């Protein structure tokens, strides 16, 4: 796979642009970065704040015969972000949080959004490189705030991210999803951690984290011993 890059000054959403590029024949390995993004969207339709200096990018994965379930690419992307941030912040506490958050020093540092585009998956990634934007009551941080070198800018982070993503993507194709999930779990909140999840009707369910199912759903052990599976939503750890 050949990795190539394009940077544009401003757009509404790199994911929206990448969907159009996919329809026009863009191939796997192409990365689109915007220096400024005015309408970025995160999971569950949330607005993704996009201050200048941070990384806003999207790439493509072609779904091939024999590939694992496309939804599991969420774990591939979060591991690639983990690898990238670990390179720049080798001594900082970094954890993965289900389904695809990367948590640095207890605060959110990135957003990941996967969207279907025909026989391709658009992988949108935003990383707080220079600025930690305010997002209500959520703790957020940036690579700069955590001590990354001043030479660590959005373009530098993207080029390392693309390499890390390619490596994790090859693992995804050549090994099993189980191996990817096992690696993800090794960097995540430990089994037994207290968690609370919000479900579709707005109510909350609390319990203990019991790992992941074979397809990446979260397993939660309620106080009465009941084991349930969560396939969508947000969780709070602790």
């Amino acid at each position: 796979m050949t990795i190539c890059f394009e940077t544009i000054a401003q757009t509404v959403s790199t994911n929206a642009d990448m969907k159009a590029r996919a329809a026009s024949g863009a191939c796997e390995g192409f990365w689109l970065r915007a220096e400024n993004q005015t309408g970025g969207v995160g999971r569950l339709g949330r607005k993704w704040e996009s201050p200048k200096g941070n990384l806003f990018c999207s790439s493509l994965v072609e779904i091939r015969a024999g590939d694992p379930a496309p939804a599991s690419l969420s774990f591939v992307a979060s591991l690639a972000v983990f690898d990238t941030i670990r390179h720049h912040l080798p001594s900082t506490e970094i954890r993965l949080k289900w389904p695809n958050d990367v948590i640095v020093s207890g605060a959110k540092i990135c957003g990941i959004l996967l969207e279907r585009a025909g026989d391709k998956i658009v992988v949108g990634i935003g990383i707080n490189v220079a600025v930690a934007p305010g997002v209500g009551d959520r703790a957020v941080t940036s690579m700069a705030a955590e001590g990354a070198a001043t030479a660590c800018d959005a373009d530098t982070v993207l080029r390392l991210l693309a390499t890390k993503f390619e490596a994790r993507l090859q693992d995804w194709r050549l090994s099993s999803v189980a191996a990817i999930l096992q690696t993800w779990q090794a960097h995540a909140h430990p089994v037994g951690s207290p968690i609370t999840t919000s479900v579709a009707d707005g109510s909350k369910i609390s319990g203990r984290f019991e790992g992941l199912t074979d397809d990446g759903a979260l397993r939660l052990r309620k106080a009465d011993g009941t084991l349930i599976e969560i396939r969508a939503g947000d969780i709070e750890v602790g």
Side-chain angles (χ1 to χ4, degrees), residues 3-22:
I3 300 175
C4 56
F5 304 93
E6 179 183 348
T7 297
I8 55 179
Q10 180 170 301
T11 189
V12 174
S13 162
T14 59
N15 262 28
D17 290 353
M18 188 60 84
K19 288 179 189 177
R21 303 295 182 90

Side-chain angles (χ1 to χ4, degrees), residues 84-178:
T84 301
I85 295 174
R86 171 62 73 206
H87 174 85
H88 288 287
L89 298 170
S91 60
T92 304
E93 180 189 42
I94 307 172
R95 287 279 188 184
L96 298 176
K97 182 168 80 71
W98 189 90
N100 56 25
D101 280 341
V102 180
I103 305 299
V104 177
S105 300
K108 184 179 175 75
I109 201 169
C110 86
I112 296 169
L113 179 65
L114 272 58
E115 298 184 275
R116 189 91 189 206
D119 60 352
K120 302 180 179 75
I121 300 295
V122 174
V123 181
I125 299 174
I127 301 177
N128 296 339
V129 176
V131 181
V135 288
D137 60 353
R138 285 190 169 193
V140 296
T141 191
S142 69
M143 295 177 68
E146 297 297 328
T150 54
C152 172
D153 59 16
D155 187 66
T156 301
V157 173
L158 170 61
R159 290 174 186 277
L160 180 60
L161 172 65
T163 300
K164 299 296 187 182
F165 186 82
E166 180 184 18
R168 291 295 186 182
L169 187 63
Q170 289 179 350
D171 288 345
W172 178 76
R173 286 197 167 116
L174 297 176
S175 61
S176 64
V177 171

Side-chain angles (χ1 to χ4, degrees), residues 10 14 23 28 30 33 36 52 62 69 71 78-79 81 108 114 121 124 133 143 148-149 155 176 197:
Q10 180 170 301
T14 59
E28 185 172 296
F30 173 58
R33 179 175 81 87
N36 187 40
K52 193 171 180 63
E62 297 167 355
S78 58
L79 281 167
V81 173
K108 184 179 175 75
L114 272 58
I121 300 295
M143 295 177 68
D155 187 66
S176 64
T197 182

